[in-house]
Amino acid sequence: AAQNMVAGEHPFFCGAGAYRHHVPASVDHIIQRSEFLTSYTPYQPEIAQGTLQYLFEFQSQICEITGMEVANASMYDGSTAAGEAVLMAMRIGKSRTRAVISGRLHPHYRAVIDTLAAMGGFTADTAHTHPNAPEDLAVMIDDNTSCVVVQNPDFFGNVVDYTDLATAAHEKGALFIVAVPEIVSLGVLKRPGDMGADIVVGEGQGLGNGLQFGGPYVGLFASRKKYLRQMPGRLCGQTQDSDGEDGFVLTLSTREQHIRRDKATSNICTNSGLCALAFTIHLTLLGGKGLQHLAQLNHARAVQLANACATIGGVEVMTDAFFNEISLRLPCAATVVVDALAEAKVLGGVPASRLLPEAALDDILIVAATETNSIEDIDIFVQTLRQILGEVVQ
């Protein structure tokens, strides 16, 4: 086990959908309080008020930061949330059987959608993938398109205002779906709901949840209120009991294990409740200004990283507008560089070819910087990268 390189032991610049953020020790303390240690499934509200209330607060927070009207009590992770969003769009679109997918959507999200398409009787048409070439998704929308799926910031780190594309989708009668794998970005970026999104999905790992070997994570799912009955998962609501006291109940449940499985809205049978609780505690501790400040710290570190990388001969910073992640074009294969960086005790990012082997992106390295990266980390990364490139290119 000591041979593993753990995030935090060495300079760490990996992102691509999972991000290392500081998780306050108070999150772990609060999550263990007895108020939250109620039964696994809140079927009986009279003995599950702790669980129901924090899920209600979680939903409220998701609506606030995404700019949407309703949210469910979470999904498994960001990729399954994206897949469920497309299935939901197919239900709403009825006779429409085509989804338009951005080539810059995370490959894991795309893989889930492709699997569901193969089994679900619809097609998922993906645009050509390139780190910084313009992507004209509007021309791909036709009268058979049920939805358009994009990501912001995208897989390569680009930040885009999709307002015009949302309008183009709506003009054709298609729903507009926005994925947000780095939830901290919503502390400073325009909310998807304000761009015209009909459904917002995302990954909540960045708040309250460490990298923890790749899971469990917490999928986020929010929508316009008019589509409430087509949402997957469960939804908690606030009500009053017979004595007039406020209380919380499971308002909407579409779980397949109850009855009529063939008519189920979704076959996802649970939610990531524990991770959702950690998310809610962390965001509550931060508050609105705290989330904004955290996002600003992330962006500032990424700017410092981009500026430093631009000084390395043969390295091109390909991402112009970004949050905390950028793509670098190297003068050699990115996998070779990442292995050499690891030998030098630097975890130096994710080669694009690792997740997109078919896209001829062998020289693209995706690197991320968060508030956990110090100036010293950036200096070590840049100096080591410069040295390795000098040796490899020669």
Side-chain angles (χ1 to χ4, degrees), residues 264-298:
T265 305
S266 167
N267 285 320
I268 288 185
C269 304
T270 188
N271 62 286
S272 298
L274 188 65
C275 296
L277 174 58
F279 177 102
T280 297
I281 293 170
H282 192 177
L283 187 52
T284 301
L285 292 169
L286 284 170
K289 290 184 178 179
L291 177 62
Q292 184 180 40
H293 180 61
L294 176 61
Q296 290 170 342
L297 285 175
N298 274 248

Side-chain angles (χ1 to χ4, degrees), residues 55-259:
L55 289 175
F56 178 83
E57 301 296 348
F58 169 80
Q59 294 168 180
S60 302
Q61 289 175 332
I62 299 306
C63 289
E64 178 67 24
I65 62 177
T66 60
M68 302 305 287
E69 295 169 327
V70 291
N72 70 13
S74 79
M75 311 298 287
Y76 289 136
D77 57 19
S79 63
T80 50
E84 287 287 341
V86 175
L87 288 176
M88 177 175 163
M90 293 297 164
R91 290 193 296 271
I92 295 170
K94 297 180 180 178
S95 61
R96 296 180 179 229
T97 59
R98 180 171 175 266
V100 172
I101 313 297
S102 168
R104 298 175 185 174
L105 181 66
H106 195 289
H108 291 167
Y109 292 34
R110 286 165 50 187
V112 172
I113 294 172
D114 288 342
T115 299
L116 293 173
M119 298 295 109
F122 65 90
T123 59
D125 294 334
T126 303
H128 177 68
T129 302
H130 194 275
N132 59 359
E135 197 177 47
D136 192 358
L137 296 177
V139 300
M140 297 178 63
I141 306 172
D142 59 21
D143 293 334
N144 191 38
T145 302
S146 70
C147 62
V148 178
V149 187
V150 299
Q151 176 176 317
N152 193 44
D154 67 27
F155 178 65
F156 298 103
N158 301 287
V159 171
V160 182
D161 186 343
Y162 286 109
T163 303
D164 291 342
L165 181 58
T167 301
H170 293 154
E171 288 175 349
K172 286 287 189 176
L175 297 185
F176 191 62
I177 301 171
V178 179
V180 186
E182 169 54 300
I183 196 63
V184 175
S185 68
L186 294 182
V188 291
L189 297 185
K190 186 175 182 178
R191 300 184 303 176
D194 297 332
M195 295 183 192
D198 299 292
I199 304 173
V200 178
V201 297
E203 175 56 67
Q205 173 270 324
L207 290 174
N209 297 277
L211 292 170
Q212 51 206 26
F213 304 99
Y217 287 166
V218 51
L220 313 178
F221 196 107
S223 170
R224 300 291 181 195
K225 188 176 181 179
K226 63 182 177 179
Y227 303 127
L228 173 65
R229 289 288 175 180
Q230 292 296 336
M231 285 180 62
R234 56 176 60 164
L235 189 146
C236 296
Q238 185 175 15
T239 186
Q240 288 188 331
D241 63 16
S242 58
D243 296 323
E245 298 292 333
D246 288 340
F248 299 90
V249 295
L250 196 59
T251 301
L252 184 67
S253 177
T254 58
R255 294 178 60 172
E256 55 82 24
Q257 69 184 49
H258 293 281
I259 55 174

Side-chain angles (χ1 to χ4, degrees), residues 295-319:
Q296 290 170 342
L297 285 175
N298 274 248
H299 181 59
R301 280 290 182 265
V303 170
Q304 291 167 334
L305 175 64
N307 290 340
C309 289
T311 66
I312 305 174
V315 173
E316 177 189 356
V317 178
M318 303 188 68
T319 317

